[in-house]
Amino acid sequence: MQNLAADRIKSLLGLKPHPEGGWYAETFRDAGGHADARGHSTAIYFLLEAGDVSHWHRVTDAAEVWHYYAGAPLVLTLSANGHDAEAYRLGSNLAAGERPQLVVPANWWQTATSLGRWTLVGCTVAPGFEFASFELAPPDWRPTPRTPRGV
């Protein structure tokens, strides 16, 4: 798969543009046994190409698990409070500190960037993802460090 071009991956997996940036396809939605109820979980493929950014966003009421599949490592930056942020690397080089999986708790801000030509990951959300619970930050928003009291 490493030799495939991003356009070929998009075609093979049926990926379409995601509102946060990048490309995606929903691959699973557990209906939970009730057609009108929120599903227990959902899963997607998600592709970022060089220059693509998954813009700052959060899922307000569900945890999200990112799974690394192929391509370049990915930097996933998280902020629990909109002030402090920490970056993590998803990838296959465990000795270099990369991990193939990362959990983003509900209501945490997140952004992602590929470190190469492209990165293919998956995201599993539980309870199931709903766009009504998706919040995209304003275009220039970033976590801002808090000024210590008394300064």
Side-chain angles (χ1 to χ4, degrees):
M1 185 176 342
Q2 302 296 348
N3 295 327
L4 291 176
D7 285 342
R8 182 77 172 131
I9 295 167
K10 288 187 270 187
S11 175
L12 289 169
L13 296 178
L15 304 182
K16 59 186 179 185
H18 195 290
E20 76 193 44
W23 302 84
Y24 83 109
E26 186 174 283
T27 59
F28 176 74
R29 180 171 289 271
D30 180 357
H34 304 288
D36 59 344
R38 183 174 185 175
H40 293 298
S41 65
T42 53
I44 65 169
Y45 290 129
F46 187 67
L47 177 81
L48 285 173
E49 296 179 78
D52 282 346
V53 175
S54 168
H55 296 283
W56 282 103
H57 68 282
R58 61 184 169 182
V59 179
T60 59
D61 63 353
E64 182 171 8
V65 183
W66 287 66
H67 311 269
Y68 172 81
Y69 294 140
L74 176 128
V75 173
L76 185 61
T77 305
L78 308 179
S79 176
N81 56 16
H83 297 284
D84 306 309
E86 190 166 353
Y88 301 87
R89 286 175 64 123
L90 264 67
S92 60
N93 189 344
L94 302 180
E98 296 173 2
R99 294 296 178 258
Q101 186 181 72
L102 182 69
V103 176
V104 179
N107 210 38
W108 281 40
W109 291 101
Q110 56 183 299
T111 183
T113 305
S114 174
L115 294 177
R117 291 184 307 128
W118 56 265
T119 304
L120 178 65
V121 296
C123 296
T124 304
V125 177
F129 179 81
E130 297 289 342
F131 273 103
S133 301
F134 173 81
E135 182 180 354
L136 193 59
D140 294 331
W141 184 88
R142 324 193 143 19
T144 52
R146 292 183 185 185
T147 303
R149 290 184 184 190
V151 175

